[in-house]
Amino acid sequence: MRLSVEELVMRRVVFNQKGGVGKSTITCNLAAISAAEGLRTLVIDLDTQGNSSHYLLGDAAEGVELGAADFFDQLLNLKLSPKDTSEFITATAHPRLSVMTASPQLAELESKLESRYKIYKLREALEALDSFDRIYIDTPPALNFYSRCALIAAESVLIPFDCDEFSRKALYQLIDNIEEIRADHNAALKLEGIVVNQYQARSSLPARVVQELRDEGLPVLDATLSPSVKVKESHEAALPLIHFAPGHKLAQEFVALHALLHRA
């Protein structure tokens, strides 16, 4: 189920039904590295909290005229002249890095979108969007309309994982849900790997949990991410770590993770 090194992923979703596991941090830092390495990169923020939007744009995220909610809203207003997907995308201050911002309005639209079965529209739009080399999709901490849209639109999924028993028990159901999406809606979807976040190498419990997951045959990635206050600082500065503190250990761990995922 894990991708071979020969396969190139263009559309990647970062998903976990559990909140606080680092979805937005992983999404934005990997995207920033892709852009810094010369790839035209897009982040799509589908979480109503808008953490990825604020991480990449800072306070300017509040003033964005068109974003993800507007993209989905036009699907419900077929009498209006449809806008091109590019019109819902905002450039960041970093070269080659853009974002489709989230807003609380996404929650207001969800039930209407679901009842009208618009679940394939994001995939259709992204397949027609040829101006980006990499697309990263940040998802809500729930298996809802938007996370299903993302899983249907993506080629691969990364699962952020914290090393505790609660997260471990939820992981199995999460993988089953991804498998169901793959079987019913997106046969091309691959589980690219499990990203161990907040990993404390000197603690026995995380090392044991990771080894047990690997022994079970789950695709736990070798590149892990350490806990660090630098993450909070970089969020406050609205600068991914590759720009905020490029020499920091965690920034280099993100670079190593990115290299692992793109080693083809």
Side-chain angles (χ1 to χ4, degrees), residues 105-122:
Q105 188 186 358
L106 285 168
E108 301 169 15
L109 299 170
E110 185 176 357
S111 61
K112 293 179 181 178
L113 290 163
E114 198 155 23
S115 66
R116 298 189 192 180
Y117 209 67
K118 302 296 185 179
I119 202 161
Y120 292 99
K121 293 300 182 180
L122 180 62

Side-chain angles (χ1 to χ4, degrees), residues 6 12 96 128 149 157:
E6 290 80 14
R12 175 179 288 117
R96 297 173 298 277
C149 271
V157 54

Side-chain angles (χ1 to χ4, degrees), residues 195-213:
V195 182
V196 182
N197 192 29
Q198 303 283 332
Y199 183 66
Q200 300 180 50
R202 296 182 180 179
S203 177
S204 60
L205 176 61
R208 178 176 59 80
V209 170
V210 167
Q211 187 56 53
E212 288 174 355
L213 291 176

Side-chain angles (χ1 to χ4, degrees), residues 129-142:
L129 191 65
D130 60 2
S131 50
F132 293 97
D133 304 306
R134 292 288 184 273
I135 298 174
Y136 293 83
I137 310 174
D138 188 15
T139 53

Side-chain angles (χ1 to χ4, degrees), residues 24-34 55 234 239-242 254:
S24 300
T25 299
I26 291 171
T27 298
C28 292
N29 279 282
L30 289 177
I33 293 168
S34 286
Y55 198 178
S234 72
L239 287 171
L241 285 160
I242 193 68
F254 272 112

